[in-house]
Amino acid sequence: GGSGDGSKDSETISDDEISLTSSFSGISRTLTSQNFRGGSVSASFGGVRLDFTGAKIAEDGARLDVQALVGGVEIRVPNGWNVKSEMSTTFGGVKDERSETGIVEGAPTLVLAGAATAGGISIKN
């Protein structure tokens, strides 16, 4: 277990579905699934960093339920992925910081659902 000093907990996950929760701390996950389907991520008074740059989305797409309550979630995706936000935000926001953000027809799509309350989601490449 960690010492509770607020350091980032880092791990590589190859699962096709994920379920992550971070409360009052920070976690970082590198995802390597070649058939990613989605899952859920929750950050309360903490942060979650997800790196999908070595992953591939399932043929029918992936859906990630994100809950950010006074917390932040950073999602790093490979070039060529579509990211579609269906998030609801209250005193928070979803910020797409990728260099190219247009929807590419036929490209794999990651749908972000859930809510950001006084929290933020950033999408990077």
Side-chain angles (χ1 to χ4, degrees):
S3 60
D5 60 7
S7 62
K8 279 227 184 272
D9 162 20
S10 185
E11 188 182 336
T12 298
I13 301 177
S14 59
D15 301 346
D16 294 345
E17 295 190 23
I18 60 172
S19 178
L20 299 172
T21 303
S22 173
S23 297
F24 297 98
S25 66
I27 60 174
S28 180
R29 296 290 183 266
T30 300
L31 294 110
T32 59
S33 167
Q34 297 303 291
N35 193 38
F36 185 71
R37 298 186 173 283
S40 64
V41 175
S42 173
S44 303
F45 299 93
V48 175
R49 179 177 291 153
L50 302 176
D51 185 348
F52 287 101
T53 53
K56 288 188 170 54
I57 290 181
E59 216 172 278
D60 52 351
R63 183 177 186 88
L64 194 60
D65 183 69
V66 181
Q67 301 295 327
L69 174 65
V70 196
V73 177
E74 179 184 300
I75 300 170
R76 190 170 293 275
V77 298
N79 292 329
W81 277 26
N82 290 329
V83 180
K84 183 177 163 195
S85 173
E86 296 177 359
M87 301 279 303
S88 66
T89 59
T90 308
F91 302 114
V94 177
K95 192 171 168 189
D96 197 333
E97 301 174 358
R98 295 177 296 163
S99 48
E100 294 178 24
T101 59
I103 296 292
V104 179
E105 202 60 46
T109 300
L110 175 64
V111 176
L112 301 178
T117 305
I121 316 294
S122 64
I123 303 158
K124 301 181 176 188
N125 56 0

